[in-house]
Amino acid sequence: DWIYYLDRGIYKTNLGTGETVQLVDGDNASMSVYDGWIYYEAGGNTDEFFRVSIDGGESQKLLDGWMQHYDMSDGWIYYQINSNGDSVWRMRPDGSEQAEVYRSDSSLIAFAVIKDQLVVSVATGVDDRGKPLPSDLHLIDIETGAVLRTRKACAGSIFAANDTVFYTEDSVWQLWNLTTGSAGAISYSNATKEASIIEKADVSLTTLGFELDPKLGIYTYKNDETKSYVSIARPDLGESQLDFNLELLQEVNGYLIGIWYYEKDNQLL
């Protein structure tokens, strides 16, 4: 009946009695509770990874280095730290048996553990600012390091549950089911209050040059040379305040001419 949380320190509060106990002092970056222990990253200028018992006591340092990501599965902690480069390591919860389990030839963006496999997002190129641009998802056998499957995806974050991988691409949540092989964008209808999966096509609005505003659910395209502008409202991807579903704007002789389509009325204006 305890909850554990960060608030310029690590605390636990009893939901029944309201009793609050401070377990760790200091501004810590993140924490996870696993099998009777709290694992946390030290904040400030200290790049260290610790654990402390949920009953309190002295913290135990497990690692030096900035923890970029970690995942816990089947008695192991899988982790990526800055000093190890583009690789995933694992260790036992007490910090023992540290070993590398995967090293990428490309920039390693993120990873998740699913059973005895890793799902990693890698970048084989860079964007116009020189930053690594995620390009592929790889399914890796942890014991052999073999690449079992590959999927094209610009995945910045990865989460796994059961046999399904969830990730973000163009600020839209996607899923990849490893059993059935099905994949697509997760769409939510405000009208029906139901979620659905939209299979990803080889050609999409983003590949055609549209940009998505995920908060409003609007794809926009503009061509400053031809003075052409297109907006497509996708209310299933965000809370659009616009009435129209499609807007076409074209500048002619200094005047902006517009055409709007309203799906609910099947009307073109």
Side-chain angles (χ1 to χ4, degrees), residues 2-60:
W2 295 87
I3 60 171
Y4 302 84
Y5 56 95
L6 292 169
D7 185 14
R8 295 187 177 180
I10 298 177
Y11 294 82
K12 66 176 183 179
T13 295
N14 189 292
L15 296 177
T17 65
E19 177 189 3
T20 297
V21 179
Q22 183 178 33
L23 301 173
V24 178
D25 189 19
D27 291 327
N28 300 293
S30 66
M31 56 160 279
S32 299
V33 181
Y34 181 72
D35 197 22
W37 292 86
I38 299 171
Y39 296 82
Y40 66 95
E41 303 170 64
N45 296 321
T46 303
D47 292 333
E48 296 172 326
F49 189 66
F50 294 85
R51 76 171 184 171
V52 66
S53 170
I54 60 174
D55 297 322
E58 185 175 351
S59 295
Q60 304 172 9

Side-chain angles (χ1 to χ4, degrees), residues 188 190 193 213-218 233-242:
Y188 179 77
N190 290 321
K193 308 299 181 185
D213 183 331
K215 182 174 291 186
L216 296 178
I218 299 174
R234 286 287 304 275
D236 55 324
L237 299 180
E239 297 185 5
S240 173
Q241 302 300 312
L242 303 176

Side-chain angles (χ1 to χ4, degrees), residues 94-112:
D94 63 358
S96 63
E97 300 183 47
Q98 297 183 22
E100 181 180 286
V101 295
Y102 171 74
R103 177 168 291 274
S104 174
D105 294 329
S106 306
S107 296
L108 180 62
I109 305 301
F111 77 89

